[in-house]
Amino acid sequence: MKFDAGPRAALMVLSSIIEPGEAELDDFLGEVGPVAAVEAIWERDLPERLHHLTSAVVERIRDPVAHADELRSAGDSCGATVLIPTDPQWPQRLHELQLLATEDQPHLRPPRCLWVRGATNLSAICERSISIVGARAASDYGRFVSDQLAGDLGEAGWTIVSGGAYGIDRAAHLGAVSREATTVAVLAGGVDRPYPSGNARLFELIEQRGSLVSEWPPGCEPRRYRFLIRNRAIAALSVGTVVVEAAPRSGAKHTARLAAELDRTLMYTPGPITSITSAGVHQLARECWEPRLVTSAAEVIADVSGFIPEPVFPGAADNRPLDGWDHDCVRIYEALCPGWVREETELAAEVGLPVTHARECLMNLAAAGWVAEVNGRWKPLRAGIPPQ
């Protein structure tokens, strides 16, 4: 049997008949190449286990060339592009999955090809990327943290990678698109009908701002085991992974373990010790992978890149409100109680300053908008807000 449709079509066919990451198939591909592998499968001249995996498919799909045409047509119909590992747009970090597959975990090898809707240069948009994962049944707190973290990272020029699910994933994607940042959703089914359907509008926004990505061809339904398979791609694509919320047994913890085994920076955000949705995160903190506790985008960037950027995020700077002010001005301001007005002579006596110097301090604070004079007495205007 001659397969003359080329290596790209061969990898598309192989990805449609054998689940992604299968170690034995990838070893066979390394020996004979994708075209010869397709020919061997339909000639039934291949290792016993692969023959067992593919025998039913060969009975159902008689002509692999026609099947490749069907796959190509399905991709064209939904606007998907197919990337293979030799393409310049292929994310090179995915190759590192080659190190993970074992006999106990055979489905951890790199993808054979990717169906992509949206920006097809995954290598470029994932060069500076962070994966944010967590519970589907997320709390309001978890969704808020995920949204803010993703938005702040996006504003700082980082791509957000997640799985397109409800809960933490959805909040991360929304946080990115709300700040007009790039985001990538790695799916466990075909890109023609991304799951869950309740996120349909979100998937449209992701396609506009980044990419929908899947190892399964259009038409493939998401299966429970496929979510675990796709987790390895989420972990591999980014330089680091943040787990926001996770139950003790969850896909997010699975992604976290894979990220750690790939030597990616593993991070987590803490939650209430009474919350089941944070129990898995707190367990993660006690693992041997040395995950990092993060509470802001600035801390995430510091952990993955080794430097702290300009403090553009709320709460990023470790400054107190009156840092940099004259010590006497600080003492005067702290002697003013919110809601009360006081005479300057009274203030001067309390802090032990000459009245003239106390008035000079008050005038400086007033110029910065910290205090105001009311009928010869003084009141604070705002506490904890730095002067503009």
Side-chain angles (χ1 to χ4, degrees):
M1 197 283 302
K2 184 70 173 175
F3 185 85
D4 56 4
R8 188 180 304 272
L11 289 170
M12 292 163 59
V13 169
L14 292 170
S15 290
S16 72
I17 65 173
I18 298 180
E19 290 295 327
E22 169 62 44
E24 189 162 351
L25 174 61
D26 291 336
D27 289 340
F28 189 58
L29 280 173
E31 294 173 7
V32 304
V35 171
V38 170
E39 293 174 347
I41 288 172
W42 264 263
E43 292 169 357
R44 306 189 183 189
D45 180 22
L46 68 167
E48 182 178 351
R49 183 171 179 274
L50 290 180
H51 174 70
H52 175 74
L53 288 174
T54 59
S55 58
V57 174
V58 172
E59 290 294 330
R60 181 171 56 86
I61 302 173
R62 296 290 184 171
D63 184 354
V65 176
H67 182 55
D69 289 339
E70 292 171 359
L71 292 172
R72 187 179 294 108
S73 177
D76 292 342
S77 296
C78 67
T81 300
V82 178
L83 297 181
I84 62 174
T86 55
D87 289 331
Q89 301 92 345
W90 185 266
Q92 295 302 303
R93 291 194 191 100
L94 291 175
H95 294 308
E96 296 174 32
L97 286 166
Q98 188 72 27
L99 306 173
L100 293 192
T102 64
E103 291 184 3
D104 295 332
Q105 300 180 108
H107 293 295
L108 295 181
R109 290 291 181 87
R112 298 174 210 118
C113 67
L114 296 171
W115 275 264
V116 182
R117 284 176 59 185
T120 55
N121 194 340
L122 282 183
S123 179
I125 66 176
C126 290
E127 183 63 27
R128 281 167 49 91
S129 63
I130 299 292
S131 295
I132 298 179
V133 297
R136 287 175 174 80
S139 68
D140 291 342
Y141 161 81
R143 289 190 294 270
F144 174 81
V145 170
S146 182
D147 179 281
Q148 292 297 304
L149 204 58
D152 289 345
L153 285 167
E155 282 193 345
W158 291 79
T159 294
I160 303 302
V161 178
S162 198
Y166 293 129
I168 297 303
D169 289 14
R170 175 183 170 86
H173 292 305
L174 283 174
V177 299
S178 69
R179 313 280 188 95
E180 299 186 351
T182 305
T183 184
V184 173
V186 184
L187 307 174
V191 294
D192 57 332
R193 43 185 175 182
Y195 177 88
S197 59
N199 279 345
R201 177 55 183 153
L202 172 62
F203 291 129
E204 292 176 7
L205 295 172
I206 293 172
E207 184 178 358
Q208 295 169 12
R209 296 298 315 171
S211 295
L212 302 174
V213 179
S214 178
E215 298 178 64
W216 291 271
C220 276
E221 296 284 347
R223 305 293 185 208
R224 184 170 183 176
Y225 64 87
R226 286 176 175 164
F227 287 97
L228 293 177
I229 294 174
R230 72 88 195 261
N231 285 348
R232 80 199 197 289
I234 294 176
L237 277 172
S238 300
V239 297
T241 292
V242 183
V243 184
V244 175
E245 283 187 324
R249 292 174 58 86
S250 66
K253 284 192 67 180
H254 178 247
T255 304
R257 179 179 62 77
L258 294 173
E261 291 178 357
L262 284 165
D263 201 26
R264 304 293 193 260
T265 304
L266 179 58
M267 296 156 282
Y268 67 94
T269 59
I273 62 173
T274 55
S275 172
I276 188 63
T277 54
S278 289
V281 175
H282 298 154
Q283 287 180 355
L284 189 68
R286 297 174 61 85
E287 296 284 357
C288 61
W289 306 316
E290 299 182 352
R292 302 278 296 176
L293 186 151
V294 292
T295 60
S296 68
E299 291 176 353
V300 172
I301 294 171
D303 281 349
V304 299
S305 59
F307 69 92
I308 299 178
E310 292 291 326
V312 296
F313 310 118
D318 188 25
N319 295 329
R320 292 173 296 180
L322 290 170
D323 279 358
W325 278 77
D326 177 85
H327 178 62
D328 292 339
C329 289
V330 174
R331 290 166 62 197
I332 288 286
Y333 183 79
E334 290 179 347
L336 287 165
C337 299
W340 292 79
V341 293
R342 304 186 67 181
E343 296 181 351
E344 60 190 46
T345 54
E346 181 185 4
L347 287 168
E350 181 173 328
V351 299
L353 293 174
V355 174
T356 54
H357 184 48
R359 179 168 182 77
E360 182 182 347
C361 291
L362 287 164
M363 294 299 292
N364 289 336
L365 289 166
W370 284 77
V371 301
E373 188 175 10
V374 180
N375 298 324
R377 295 188 294 175
W378 296 88
K379 72 173 183 177
L381 290 181
R382 49 187 176 173
I385 303 176
Q388 303 299 313

